[in-house]
């Protein structure tokens, strides 16, 4: 969804990447993956990865599920395409005991102050 005038364009994404941001795929159109056929899911995942790798010259092998949704087909596709990790929307810290395709994360919602969000980054 780049270059549509609403989301970031490739020049902006490249600038972020050069500033140290790790750019990884999230699907081509932020779909509800379980509602799609295997072929549609595969296109969403593989094409997003391909575009990032082609535009930035970097490896894009970490996925974040749109809406946190996935099914067995999604997991098979990620494994077949050599993804190392995938993040859900389950809140919390990721650790080595978790399935690498079902990692927790700390969500940024944009409504908290920087101080409030930073507090959530502190381990209990």
């Amino acid at each position: 969804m780049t270059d549509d005038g609403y989301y970031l364009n490739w020049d902006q994404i490249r600038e972020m990447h050069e500033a140290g941001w790790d750019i990884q795929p999230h699907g081509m159109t932020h779909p509800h993956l379980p509602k799609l056929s295997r072929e549609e899911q595969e296109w969403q995942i593989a094409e997003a990865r391909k575009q990032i790798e082609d535009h930035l010259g970097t490896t894009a092998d970490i996925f974040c599920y749109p809406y946190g949704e996935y099914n067995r087909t999604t997991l098979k596709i990620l494994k077949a395409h050599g993804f190392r990790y995938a993040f859900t929307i389950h809140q919390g810290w990721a650790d080595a005991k978790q399935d690498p395709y079902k990692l927790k994360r700390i969500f940024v919602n944009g409504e908290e102050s920087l101080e409030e969000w930073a507090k959530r980054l502190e381990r209990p």
Side-chain angles (χ1 to χ4, degrees):
M1 293 173 32
T2 58
D3 295 320
D4 69 352
Y6 183 75
Y7 295 100
L8 298 174
N9 63 44
W10 281 110
D11 288 336
Q12 293 168 317
I13 295 167
R14 192 171 297 103
E15 183 178 343
M16 291 173 66
H17 175 68
E18 290 169 359
W21 287 70
D22 187 18
I23 309 298
Q24 297 292 330
H26 194 51
M28 289 296 293
T29 62
H30 204 270
H32 293 275
L33 290 171
K35 294 182 178 182
L36 303 179
S37 70
R38 175 178 176 66
E39 293 77 21
E40 291 169 319
Q41 282 196 50
E42 191 155 23
W43 180 81
Q44 286 283 337
I45 293 166
E47 184 63 21
R49 179 181 188 172
K50 179 183 181 311
Q51 286 194 20
I52 291 169
E53 291 179 347
D54 288 352
H55 282 275
L56 302 180
T58 188
T59 301
D61 60 357
I62 300 168
F63 194 75
C64 186
Y65 303 109
Y67 309 102
E69 299 172 350
Y70 59 90
N71 59 18
R72 285 183 291 206
T73 300
T74 316
L75 299 174
K76 288 178 185 176
I77 292 167
L78 291 173
K79 290 175 186 176
H81 283 269
F83 280 82
R84 292 184 301 147
Y85 309 106
F87 286 90
T88 67
I89 58 170
H90 301 291
Q91 295 295 301
W93 292 90
D95 63 43
K97 295 176 186 173
Q98 293 171 26
D99 181 320
Y101 295 101
K102 298 177 184 176
L103 295 175
K104 294 178 182 179
R105 66 181 176 144
I106 298 173
F107 183 70
V108 179
N109 66 17
E111 295 176 11
E112 298 171 302
S113 70
L114 181 59
E115 293 78 22
E116 291 171 318
W117 186 75
K119 284 182 185 178
R120 291 198 299 124
L121 296 177
E122 298 172 3
R123 288 207 180 252

